Amino acid sequence: MSEVTMDKIISLCRRRGFIFQSSEIYGGLNGAYDYGPMGVELKNNIRDFWWKEMTRMHDDIVGLDASILMHPRVWEASGHVSNFTDPMVDCKCCKSRFRADQIDLAKPCPVCGNKDSFTAPRNFNLMFQTHIGANMDSASVVYLRPETAQGIYVDFKNVLQSSRVKVPFGIAQIGKSFRNEITTKNFIFRSCEFEQMEMQFFCRPGTEDEWFPYWRNERMNYYHKMGIRPESLRWHQHGPDELAFYAKDAYDIQFLFPMGWQELEGVHSRTDYDLTQHQKFSGKDMTYLDPETNERYIPYVVETSAGLTRNVLMALSDAYDEEQTPEGDVRTVLHFHPQIAPVKVAVLPLVKKDGLGEYAKNLEKDLRSSFPTFFDQSGAVGRRYRRMDEIGTPYCITVDYQSLQDQTVTIRFRDSMKQERVSVSQIVPFIHQADMEYKRV
Ligand code: GAP
């Protein structure tokens, strides 16, 4: 196994249709990416896995899909208008912009090399502004949401009154968020347009100290269940200087990305800060009346906040491998867990002719309702296997001359490259079983 670098991942993503730079034919747009045919499947599979784990597997969590554009007062209440800033400096010579906390101000500009060229640090708000309606005046300003969480707080009462939930319960949401990030290096790790998967868990004041460790545990288990190697995940507790002023406690799940340990997800004990702020700014009651005890209170919140697009980079980094084959060459392989692989089953006729191509195509069509499938009959079968390894397809079914005689095929396992002969009628249960038994080696 050789070292996984970001350049290798970027190159594979481009070559195999996972991720492209946005607007590439115009020279690209910084901090914006397009998910190609394989990338969108991978991202949707991760999204669906999160949704299933967080909503269907918990009877106390319901879903929401709030709009990206919200009333501008939301962001005043949340503190984002005044506090969601990064300190920034400009180089007076080349006009490059840097985050003040990520650059040594005593050194020359890393872009143009000029000395003493930095402006004094200024606070730069990360929210994108736009205008709603035809007028471009200050009254029409709206923001692209910088987190999905506020949509959940603002709809707290609507959800409470329209569904049968009772505190403690959670609201889950997946969607796009936008931040005008100054530093957007490291591919999709930090982009200006990205997706979040967030859940706000509302509980009785005082019980957050039980729910906080519960959710930390759930969230780490989620990554283990997704097949991510446990040794590439760790906890980082926020120190007093990192903690948001309203947060009681916060932990990040960090992943060992190619550039080192970095935040993947945050689990935050957010107190009653957000609901209290929205009550203050909207004038609407945000309290909850406990039907059993008759107590009235503003619930406390434990938040789990993961980046979906950052999860995609994690999945690619964790899966990427270059292996020496017994024949002496190198095969690039993505060891995705079968539940997130963009293609689950490829069907490959050994050759096109003698009816093998047609038999394989019909088989692939039959399997479509059970799995994400792919059909490929062009080129040598060995090369087709390698193409499937590179996109992380866990099972390749090969149709050969024997298949026409006895209705059996071979199933090749991506990781071990071993093959097993299976009756066509048994393919679906065989693969379901193999999925359940899957273990990353
Ligand atoms: N609601 C809390 C919140 O938004 P955050 O720590 O700012 O907390 C949560 O963001 C997660 O969203 C991060 O752990 C990361 O996975 C993802 N994220 C944040 N900014 C991002 C960016 N610019 N690009 C990609 N993902 C980002």
Side-chain angles (χ1 to χ4, degrees), residues 80 84 146-150 153 179 181 188-198 200 238 246 252-253 263-266 268 270 303 305-311:
H80 282 83
F84 196 53
E147 62 169 16
T148 60
Q150 295 303 323
Y153 299 132
R179 297 181 189 179
E181 302 279 4
I188 57 169
F189 177 79
R190 180 173 285 111
S191 45
C192 292
E193 176 176 343
F194 57 100
E195 283 174 75
Q196 288 186 310
M197 310 185 283
E198 297 197 299
Q200 314 295 316
H238 284 207
Y246 52 80
D252 291 338
I253 297 178
E263 174 184 342
L264 176 66
E265 158 158 4
H268 310 129
R270 287 182 76 132
E303 168 185 67
S305 176
L308 169 55
T309 43
R310 206 172 276 186
N311 260 245

Side-chain angles (χ1 to χ4, degrees), residues 89-135:
V89 293
D90 288 324
C91 170
K92 285 182 256 176
C93 300
C94 70
K95 310 286 180 226
S96 298
R97 182 164 280 182
F98 306 94
R99 260 174 66 174
D101 55 342
Q102 291 179 351
I103 197 159
D104 186 346
L105 295 173
K107 287 197 173 152
C109 168
V111 175
C112 69
N114 278 297
K115 285 188 188 143
D116 302 324
S117 65
F118 294 121
T119 60
R122 276 174 295 155
N123 276 336
F124 171 76
N125 196 295
L126 297 184
M127 283 197 293
F128 282 104
Q129 274 190 19
T130 186
H131 295 264
I132 208 156
N135 290 334

Side-chain angles (χ1 to χ4, degrees), residues 19-34:
I19 300 164
F20 314 117
Q21 171 89 62
S22 160
S23 321
E24 202 181 85
I25 60 167
Y26 290 98
L29 180 70
N30 253 351
Y33 293 90
D34 299 341

Side-chain angles (χ1 to χ4, degrees), residues 31 39 53 66 105 146 149 169 178 183 196-198 205-206 226-227 242 254 261 273 298 308 316 319 327 372-373 395:
E53 288 299 314
L105 295 173
F169 76 98
F178 301 83
T183 314
Q196 288 186 310
M197 310 185 283
E198 297 197 299
M226 199 189 194
E242 294 168 279
Q254 294 186 334
W261 288 101
Y273 173 78
I298 292 187
L308 169 55
L316 286 161
E327 296 79 41
T373 56
Y395 312 107

Side-chain angles (χ1 to χ4, degrees), residues 344 366-373 428 432:
K344 174 86 75 97
D366 286 347
L367 293 173
R368 279 181 195 175
S369 59
S370 306
F371 310 110
T373 56
V428 174
H432 282 313

